């Protein structure tokens, strides 16, 4: 099956790898993100005929509305919305966290995902077909020190995905939440404010998931028979697993 997929955060990591995989398989692409130069490069690389690009900061509701209104004829019948744009900022304890960073994560990971979903769903419901694929995280279910607001935004994504399924029963629309663990992309560089050495340390001595690993899961999920809904996929690299519950001996 080929169709049209709209990818938020297509300029890097999971979004970019997904764009490349779907393009190779003949899909039409709507690629969005904030970095215009990267979007233009991707359009040139993946084929101008089947790729529409649009700069969009998902935190900005008006920009999201304008981006969707500006989708050209031939791309408007969207089969998949890949809500991928997102980020973590910081890894410090909650009592030292920067409130602006918490707000940015809420605005991007929660509000941006809500804006996009609300804008695209009516067309899917009217057409009686479509698939919303959200990129959550293992951080939604498994707390870790410093995960605080980031993990909580992904817990929102997890529950919103389930609630969407409840609302969309009987419409034929599918909803999937993909929850990756340790994966190497620009994620840690962003998390540590551009500190590439600190970001590299996160993956040192490990074999993390790659953006291609996640793109392949997105593609597999999207290409199940129409009656099959993959509710969620939790995926970690083999080198990652849970640790014991922690106990402080001081207090
Ligand atoms: P990257 O940093 O490589 O990619 C993030 C993408 O999100 C970029 O394309 C970026 O584009 C886009 N983005 C960020 N903020 C905005 C915004 N305000 N508006 C529009 N686009 C935005 O990271 P990943 O590919 O790893 O992350 C993709 C998703 O996967 C995120 O939701 C992340 O939370 C999640 N995730 C990542 C894991 C990991 O370990 N890497 C594990 C689990 C989940 P631009 O800067 O051009 O706007
Ligand atoms: C990204 C994975 O473990 O850094 O969502 O939170 S983790």
């Amino acid at each position: 099956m080929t169709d049209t997929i709209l990818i938020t955060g297509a300029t890097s990591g999971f979004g970019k790898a997904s764009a490349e995989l779907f393009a190779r398989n003949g899909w039409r692409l709507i690629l969005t993100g904030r970095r215009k130069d990267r979007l233009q490069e991707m359009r040139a690389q993946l084929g101008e005929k089947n790729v529409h690009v649009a700069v969009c900061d998902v935190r900005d509701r008006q920009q999201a509305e304008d981006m969707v209104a500006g989708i050209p004829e031939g791309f408007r019948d969207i089969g998949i919305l890949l809500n991928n744009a997102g980020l973590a900022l910081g890894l410090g304890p909650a009592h030292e966290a920067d409130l602006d960073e918490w707000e940015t994560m809420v605005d991007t990971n929660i509000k941006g995902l809500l804006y996009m979903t609300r804008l695209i769903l009516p067309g899917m419901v009217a057409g009686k077909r479509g698939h919303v694929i959200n990129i959550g995280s293992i951080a939604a279910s498994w707390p870790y020190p410093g995960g605080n607001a980031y993990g909580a935004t992904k817990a929102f994504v997890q529950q919103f995905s389930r609630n969407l399924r409840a609302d969309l029963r009987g419409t034929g629309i599918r909803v999937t939440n993909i929850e990756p663990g340790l994966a190497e992309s620009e994620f840690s560089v962003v998390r540590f404010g551009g500190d590439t050495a600190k970001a590299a340390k996160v993956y040192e001595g490990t074999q993390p998931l790659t953006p291609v690993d996640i793109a392949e899961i997105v593609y597999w999920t999207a290409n199940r028979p129409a009656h099959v809904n993959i509710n969620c996929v939790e995926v970690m690299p083999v080198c990652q697993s849970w640790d014991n519950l922690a106990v402080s001996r001081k207090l």
Side-chain angles (χ1 to χ4, degrees):
M1 186 194 80
T2 58
D3 203 338
T4 301
I5 179 169
L6 189 163
I7 303 176
T8 66
T11 56
S12 168
F14 305 166
K16 183 167 188 282
S18 299
E20 289 165 352
L21 181 56
F22 279 80
R24 270 204 304 283
N25 285 282
W27 285 59
R28 276 180 303 277
L29 311 173
I30 302 167
L31 306 181
T32 74
R34 291 165 301 175
R35 285 171 284 183
K36 189 177 180 182
D37 51 338
R38 291 208 186 180
L39 290 171
Q40 285 173 337
E41 274 168 32
M42 289 181 72
R43 184 161 184 256
Q45 176 205 331
L46 300 178
E48 309 217 330
K49 188 165 147 275
N50 283 328
V51 181
H52 169 68
V53 296
V55 172
C56 176
D57 184 332
V58 292
R59 294 171 297 178
D60 185 326
R61 185 167 159 183
Q62 188 63 52
Q63 268 191 43
E65 286 175 6
D66 292 347
M67 184 274 286
V68 171
I71 294 172
E73 199 58 53
F75 287 84
R76 289 205 191 131
D77 188 12
I78 294 167
I80 298 178
L81 168 62
L82 178 57
N83 274 320
N84 165 75
L87 79 176
L89 294 172
L91 195 57
H95 54 283
E96 290 169 7
D98 179 335
L99 258 182
D100 289 339
E101 292 190 337
W102 278 9
E103 226 164 44
T104 302
M105 289 188 276
V106 168
D107 289 348
T108 311
N109 303 355
I110 297 181
K111 289 169 73 179
L113 183 140
L114 287 177
Y115 298 154
M116 289 307 305
T117 305
R118 183 62 184 84
L119 285 165
I120 300 301
L121 262 187
M124 289 182 171
V125 172
K128 297 189 173 61
R129 58 173 210 103
H131 194 166
V132 178
I133 303 180
N134 294 328
I135 302 294
S137 168
I138 58 162
S141 307
W142 311 109
Y144 59 85
N148 46 65
Y150 175 70
T153 65
K154 294 301 187 178
F156 176 94
V157 174
Q158 183 184 73
Q159 193 62 12
F160 183 61
S161 303
R162 293 171 178 158
N163 281 335
L164 277 179
R165 286 230 63 222
D167 283 0
L168 293 167
R169 184 169 54 241
T171 65
I173 314 301
R174 302 192 285 187
V175 184
T176 300
N177 185 29
I178 299 176
E179 305 187 312
L182 186 76
E184 190 163 8
S185 62
E186 292 178 11
F187 178 81
S188 292
V189 177
V190 171
R191 179 171 230 169
F192 298 127
D195 185 336
T196 50
K198 196 170 174 185
K201 283 251 175 258
V202 173
Y203 310 105
E204 208 172 82
T206 76
Q207 185 172 1
L209 298 170
T210 66
V212 169
D213 292 328
I214 304 307
E216 285 175 350
I217 293 169
V218 172
Y219 192 78
W220 173 80
T221 301
N223 285 284
R224 294 307 83 220
H227 68 285
V228 177
N229 192 96
I230 306 297
N231 295 338
C232 86
V233 179
E234 184 182 273
V235 53
M236 295 178 189
V238 174
C239 64
Q240 185 176 40
S241 67
W242 307 273
D243 208 342
N244 293 332
L245 289 173
V247 176
S248 166
R249 305 282 166 197
K250 287 189 287 184
L251 281 178

